[in-house]
Amino acid sequence: MSTAWFLESVSADGSRITYNISQLPFRIGRDLDNDLVATVRDLSRHHAVLTEDLSGRLKLTDLDSTNGTSVNRQRLEGSCLLQENDILHFGGAEFRVGLRTVTLPSFDQSMTMLAPPGSMLSEHFFVHESEFHELLAGQGLSGAVQAIADAASGTVVAYEFLGRARHPQLPSAPMPLFRIARSLSQEAELSEAFRGFALAVLAPRLNGFTLFANVHPKETFDAAFLAALRQARQRLPGLDLVIEVHESAVTEVRQLVELAARLQDIGVRFAYDDFGAGQARLNELGEAPAHFVKFDIGLVRNIHLASERKRRVVADLVKLVLDLGSVPLAEGIECAEAAATCREMGFRLLQGFHVGRPIAADDLPSVSAPTV
């Protein structure tokens, strides 16, 4: 089976219009360079964008539009994970999110399948599947690290590991790699391979730096993942490791409470990732406070240019996180003005190009640093 996302709107005469989301990112706005161009007066030139989330879901981000973006008639501040039948409003333009499922036909072995001339080539199989399995086994694994700094002093105190590949027949960036993994139902295996590389290559060089590492939603609550963490802790007793729990992995408070207890027993801290994408998950935060809360890029992007309303929403969330005893971290900080606004709001940690661009894992300097 194959699936495809689309947006649906209703024209003035009541007929339905379908817009296929054929590629991501998918931009919506008035300007002609958007993928969906809507000549609606209250749309911004570049109003919003749809991207692919690590879990394979659609992620909607408002691009600081003048008249706002709403999901199920709730004003969106930053980003939101979407699901089928969600109702979107870009200014006053209304759309419904659709997911089309295509069932591939099965044939008797004696039948001959003919394709008409000029037809599109399907993509139901991945050409370099064997090379991908080589990657999972460690061949061609690589990575980069991005600095995380103390908001007050600007001192780098931690690094986040970002998985990469340097296999000549595979893409190097993580999202295309996870797209391949999803087609093979091996997302957890890829995540585990990346994390193993980080612990083997980076951990010996950290000398006091905290290491942030991701866990895929499909493996977050898996016993094998927790067992591997315990083994890593035994091998690397001095490593200060923080596991980033993805927003889409959390569906029940009970699960997160149990996970927090298991991680504490192992001696690993955790961060709540993509906070503000979709639901704010305030209930989960209250029941199982994370050591760190990483605010979604869509929520703090260009925060110094955001409306007073949005800055007030973000500042209130930062205060809530602090009141719960967690450390708020702002991602996607690209300039000094945004960093200054985040400091004023109470953010304790900053990450983004203003702090440092991702650097190859092999180039990570071996210097001592305080833990977070």
Side-chain angles (χ1 to χ4, degrees), residues 171-191:
S172 61
M175 288 306 295
L177 289 170
F178 272 106
R179 200 173 299 126
I180 295 168
R182 189 161 57 250
S183 70
L184 301 173
S185 297
Q186 292 188 308
E187 303 100 308
E189 288 82 355
L190 179 59
S191 179

Side-chain angles (χ1 to χ4, degrees), residues 232-244:
R233 166 57 63 213
Q234 293 170 350
R235 292 196 318 270
L236 305 163
L239 175 64
D240 184 23
L241 179 63
V242 177
I243 292 296
E244 297 191 22

Side-chain angles (χ1 to χ4, degrees), residues 1 12 133 140 201 226 270 283 288 291 293 336 338 363:
M1 299 179 79
H133 285 106
V201 174
L226 293 169
F270 78 99
N283 191 33
H291 299 89
V293 175
D363 297 331

Side-chain angles (χ1 to χ4, degrees), residues 223-277:
F225 161 65
L226 293 169
L229 276 188
R230 188 177 295 278
Q231 293 175 359
R233 166 57 63 213
Q234 293 170 350
R235 292 196 318 270
L236 305 163
L239 175 64
D240 184 23
L241 179 63
V242 177
I243 292 296
E244 297 191 22
V245 177
H246 194 266
E247 192 271 347
S248 63
V250 181
T251 57
E252 296 181 15
V253 174
R254 176 188 56 80
Q255 280 186 311
L256 190 58
V257 171
E258 292 177 358
L259 178 66
R262 295 288 299 277
L263 292 177
Q264 182 177 5
D265 180 61
I266 295 171
V268 172
R269 294 190 287 176
F270 78 99
Y272 198 63
D273 197 16
D274 285 346
F275 181 67

Side-chain angles (χ1 to χ4, degrees), residues 24-25 50-59 175-176 179 182:
L24 296 170
L50 291 166
T51 55
E52 184 179 26
D53 180 67
L54 179 67
S55 61
R57 293 170 60 183
L58 282 182
K59 183 176 182 178
M175 288 306 295
R179 200 173 299 126
R182 189 161 57 250

Side-chain angles (χ1 to χ4, degrees), residues 293-295 300 328-333 342 347-352:
V293 175
K294 300 188 74 173
F295 279 61
V300 296
L329 187 160
E331 293 189 277
I333 305 306
C342 286
F347 279 101
R348 297 292 189 262
L349 297 174
L350 304 177
Q351 183 177 359

Side-chain angles (χ1 to χ4, degrees), residues 14-345:
S15 60
R16 300 294 179 100
I17 305 174
T18 298
Y19 305 89
N20 293 321
I21 302 173
S22 55
Q23 62 181 14
L24 296 170
F26 186 87
R27 297 182 178 273
I28 301 100
R30 288 201 327 269
D31 275 10
L32 295 178
D33 59 352
N34 290 287
D35 299 287
L36 194 164
V37 179
T39 55
V40 180
R41 182 179 303 175
D42 55 359
L43 246 71
S44 295
R45 294 173 57 192
H46 298 97
H47 197 100
V49 61
L50 291 166
T51 55
E52 184 179 26
D53 180 67
L54 179 67
S55 61
R57 293 170 60 183
L58 282 182
K59 183 176 182 178
L60 172 64
T61 301
D62 180 78
L63 299 177
D64 301 319
S65 61
T66 301
N67 293 302
T69 299
S70 297
V71 179
N72 298 323
R73 295 175 174 79
Q74 297 293 317
R75 178 72 176 258
L76 175 64
E77 301 292 351
S79 300
C80 177
L81 295 178
L82 299 177
Q83 58 187 0
E84 188 177 9
N85 294 321
D86 277 344
I87 306 301
L88 312 182
H89 283 85
F90 305 111
E94 183 179 24
F95 296 85
R96 182 182 69 87
V97 178
L99 184 61
R100 185 180 294 112
T101 301
V102 179
T103 304
L104 301 178
S106 60
F107 297 92
D108 184 90
Q109 291 183 356
S110 62
M111 296 180 65
T112 301
M113 190 187 330
L114 300 176
S119 62
M120 294 290 292
L121 295 177
S122 60
E123 299 181 2
H124 303 308
F125 297 98
F126 176 54
V127 175
H128 299 296
E129 184 173 343
S130 60
E131 287 83 357
F132 183 76
H133 285 106
E134 291 174 358
L135 182 73
L136 295 183
Q139 184 177 333
L141 278 173
S142 184
V145 289
Q146 186 171 31
I148 297 172
D150 178 81
S153 66
T155 302
V156 174
V157 293
Y159 287 96
E160 178 184 357
F161 175 76
L162 310 168
R164 300 285 189 270
R166 52 185 177 191
H167 196 294
Q169 293 174 299
L170 295 174
S172 61
M175 288 306 295
L177 289 170
F178 272 106
R179 200 173 299 126
I180 295 168
R182 189 161 57 250
S183 70
L184 301 173
S185 297
Q186 292 188 308
E187 303 100 308
E189 288 82 355
L190 179 59
S191 179
E192 180 183 359
F194 278 147
R195 200 167 47 252
F197 177 87
L199 294 175
V201 174
L202 293 181
R205 309 180 194 174
L206 290 178
N207 298 326
F209 283 105
T210 298
L211 174 64
F212 282 68
N214 291 278
V215 55
H216 192 274
K218 281 198 171 182
E219 61 170 340
T220 303
F221 304 102
D222 191 75
F225 161 65
L226 293 169
L229 276 188
R230 188 177 295 278
Q231 293 175 359
R233 166 57 63 213
Q234 293 170 350
R235 292 196 318 270
L236 305 163
L239 175 64
D240 184 23
L241 179 63
V242 177
I243 292 296
E244 297 191 22
V245 177
H246 194 266
E247 192 271 347
S248 63
V250 181
T251 57
E252 296 181 15
V253 174
R254 176 188 56 80
Q255 280 186 311
L256 190 58
V257 171
E258 292 177 358
L259 178 66
R262 295 288 299 277
L263 292 177
Q264 182 177 5
D265 180 61
I266 295 171
V268 172
R269 294 190 287 176
F270 78 99
Y272 198 63
D273 197 16
D274 285 346
F275 181 67
Q279 303 177 48
R281 300 294 189 188
L282 302 181
N283 191 33
E284 287 83 347
L285 273 178
E287 294 293 331
H291 299 89
F292 304 89
V293 175
K294 300 188 74 173
F295 279 61
D296 183 67
I297 291 177
L299 199 59
V300 296
R301 173 182 174 270
N302 291 329
I303 191 65
H304 61 298
L305 301 176
S307 65
E308 179 61 31
R309 179 183 184 276
K310 182 173 180 178
R311 290 200 300 270
R312 187 168 60 252
V313 168
V314 175
D316 288 345
L317 288 173
V318 171
K319 183 179 183 303
L320 172 65
V321 167
L322 289 168
D323 289 344
L324 291 171
S326 301
V327 176
L329 187 160
E331 293 189 277
I333 305 306
E334 299 184 353
C335 63
E337 293 80 5
T341 301
C342 286
R343 279 194 297 271
E344 293 170 4
M345 289 179 167

